[in-house]
Amino acid sequence: MNVHDPTHRIRVLLIAPSLDILGGQSIQARRLLDEFAKSTRVEVAFLPVNPRLWRRLGSLQRVKYVRTIVTSVSYVASLLWRVPRCDLVHAFSASYYSYLLAPLPALVIAKLMGRKTLLNYRSGEAPDHLASWPLSRRSIALLADRVVVPSPYLVDVFRHYNIEAEAISNFVPLQSLRYSARPKCAPRLLSNRNLEPLYNVACILRAFALVQRSYSGAELVVVGDGSLRGELEAMTSRLGLRNVHFRGRVSSERMAQLYTDSDIFVNAPNIDNMPSSIIEAFACGLPVVTTNAGGIPYIVEHERTGLMVERNDAPALAAAVTRLLADPALALRLATAARAECESRYAWQHVRDLWESLYERLAGKTGK
């Protein structure tokens, strides 16, 4: 099929985690699929890096280590079948072993089959990954026709290793995230990050303990799951915290309601890139209090669209929360500016044009 034919839609194979692995990558991938289903310029198909296997093979995915082997074999077999049927491969990427297991096989197979490749690198751990894994640096430079990242922060990281990258931001579905102006914030806090060490939800619990000294009825909803859940629940008891609710994995529909039901969004990672949860909070009118990890200063402007503190500084995080509670005008001003920022930078209409233009530039060089 001739990609130079103006009636031909560019066939993109999007490779990413499915929603069986709930996180920023899977959510953004699903949003891209849903929106591109309406496109007249691009036809996007999806290949999950974590395919579900049928019948007896499916039971093997419940066995540690065996799961990795059978899933990887199934994934590579799917690549061999699906890559020849696309014009270009768009592979989401995390860091370390996740890069080796998921995007790297896709890049290799696409290159062998003469397809253009787009590596969509999305991990805040990029500085350490690229510094300590030379194989990753070299394979990206060799195999990726384009490297796309969600924020200028990672553009700078890749430039340090002489790899050109361009930024196309995450986006949020504004139509499904209702904006609510909050003339006065109540002490109802929301955290929406997976319960893993790099996101440092423990810092939020320590900060909440300080907030609760001044606001005894304060509430904290913790959304997400992960390896630290038991430890964090035990920490909640040890600190004597009240009104802390661990919600676990939450659907997009339920998440929208939790944003509506909350008044302040808190975020305390030690490592990060461009968390979609922050721009979702922007969209819903929640003032944001966050640490300044990684790429966050590229999306949150201190005292204009949110409040930022140093990493792992629970007293500073608590002070920022109590400042918003004591100063309703500040909280409303931050939330109003953040919503405007969301509409101008993180709406689908803006992001769509960037993706479609990039796909067409890449596919136009295939000669197929």
Side-chain angles (χ1 to χ4, degrees):
M1 190 176 289
N2 187 355
V3 297
H4 300 287
D5 179 354
T7 65
H8 168 58
R9 290 197 298 166
I10 305 300
R11 299 170 302 171
V12 177
L13 182 61
L14 179 63
I15 299 171
S18 75
L19 287 174
D20 289 343
I21 304 174
L22 192 60
Q25 287 195 61
S26 59
I27 290 170
Q28 280 296 308
R30 174 46 55 187
R31 288 174 179 170
L32 283 172
L33 286 169
D34 289 345
E35 294 296 344
F36 274 125
K38 310 164 193 172
S39 175
T40 59
R41 297 165 62 184
V42 175
E43 177 185 333
V44 178
F46 180 59
L47 195 163
V49 301
N50 54 318
R52 289 184 182 179
L53 302 183
W54 295 349
R55 299 177 183 172
R56 292 183 180 178
L57 286 178
S59 65
L60 295 177
Q61 289 185 304
R62 294 190 288 272
V63 181
K64 193 174 181 180
Y65 304 123
V66 174
R67 173 174 59 239
T68 301
I69 295 171
V70 297
T71 300
S72 296
V73 170
S74 175
Y75 168 59
V76 170
S78 297
L79 286 171
L80 294 170
W81 174 255
R82 301 283 296 280
V83 168
R85 291 159 176 78
C86 72
D87 298 312
L88 67 93
V89 165
H90 175 170
F92 275 38
S93 179
S95 52
Y96 305 122
Y97 286 107
S98 294
Y99 168 76
L100 297 181
L101 292 173
L104 182 56
L107 296 178
V108 169
I109 290 171
K111 276 297 183 184
L112 290 174
M113 295 185 174
R115 298 305 188 264
K116 290 294 181 178
T117 54
L118 187 162
L119 182 72
N120 194 185
Y121 193 100
R122 314 183 68 84
S123 174
E125 295 176 298
D128 182 66
H129 176 207
L130 296 179
S132 56
W133 291 52
L135 172 63
S136 296
R137 296 197 306 269
R138 293 167 187 158
S139 60
I140 290 170
L142 179 67
L143 298 171
D145 292 307
R146 289 288 188 280
V147 176
V148 177
V149 294
S151 74
Y153 166 67
L154 287 185
V155 172
D156 293 341
V157 171
F158 275 91
R159 184 183 295 122
H160 180 75
Y161 296 100
N162 297 314
I163 299 173
E164 181 181 352
E166 58 187 285
I168 299 180
S169 70
N170 292 338
F171 72 98
V172 292
L174 294 177
Q175 69 281 3
S176 61
L177 293 171
R178 186 170 77 250
Y179 175 78
S180 299
R182 294 162 173 80
K184 183 179 174 77
C185 288
R188 298 183 299 190
L189 280 56
L190 175 66
S191 166
N192 180 20
R193 304 308 298 270
N194 283 334
L195 308 184
E196 300 295 345
L198 72 165
Y199 298 125
N200 200 6
V201 176
C203 181
I204 293 175
L205 294 178
R206 293 194 298 271
F208 184 68
L210 299 174
V211 171
Q212 216 164 48
R213 292 179 186 176
S214 301
Y215 297 87
S216 60
E219 300 178 19
L220 171 64
V221 172
V222 179
V223 175
D225 214 337
S227 62
L228 296 184
R229 178 163 182 169
E231 181 178 322
L232 292 168
E233 289 175 335
M235 181 180 180
T236 299
S237 299
R238 188 168 63 252
L239 292 173
L241 301 179
R242 304 172 302 281
N243 304 323
V244 177
H245 310 287
F246 286 85
R247 301 297 191 198
R249 289 168 52 109
V250 168
S251 68
S252 297
E253 295 75 20
R254 176 60 180 148
M255 195 66 237
Q257 187 61 49
L258 288 174
Y259 282 120
T260 298
D261 293 342
S262 305
D263 281 335
I264 297 174
F265 183 80
V266 287
N267 184 56
N270 292 328
I271 298 171
D272 219 329
N273 173 32
M274 185 187 183
S276 294
S277 54
I278 285 183
I279 56 177
E280 289 169 357
F282 281 3
C284 294
L286 274 75
V288 169
V289 175
T290 181
T291 57
N292 58 0
I296 290 176
Y298 289 79
I299 59 174
V300 177
E301 184 177 340
H302 182 55
E303 297 197 337
R304 190 182 78 82
T305 58
L307 298 180
M308 280 193 299
V309 303
E310 291 296 325
R311 290 173 292 178
N312 203 35
D313 190 340
L317 200 71
V321 169
T322 54
R323 182 182 174 192
L324 294 177
L325 294 170
D327 190 345
L330 171 64
L332 184 58
R333 175 171 62 80
L334 295 176
T336 302
R339 171 68 187 199
E341 185 94 343
C342 203
E343 291 173 347
S344 65
R345 292 179 60 186
Y346 307 123
W348 171 242
Q349 291 84 347
H350 173 67
V351 174
R352 176 195 60 209
D353 293 341
L354 296 175
W355 279 123
E356 289 185 341
S357 175
L358 177 57
Y359 288 156
E360 289 177 345
R361 293 199 317 268
L362 265 178
K365 295 181 179 180
T366 62
K368 293 185 182 294

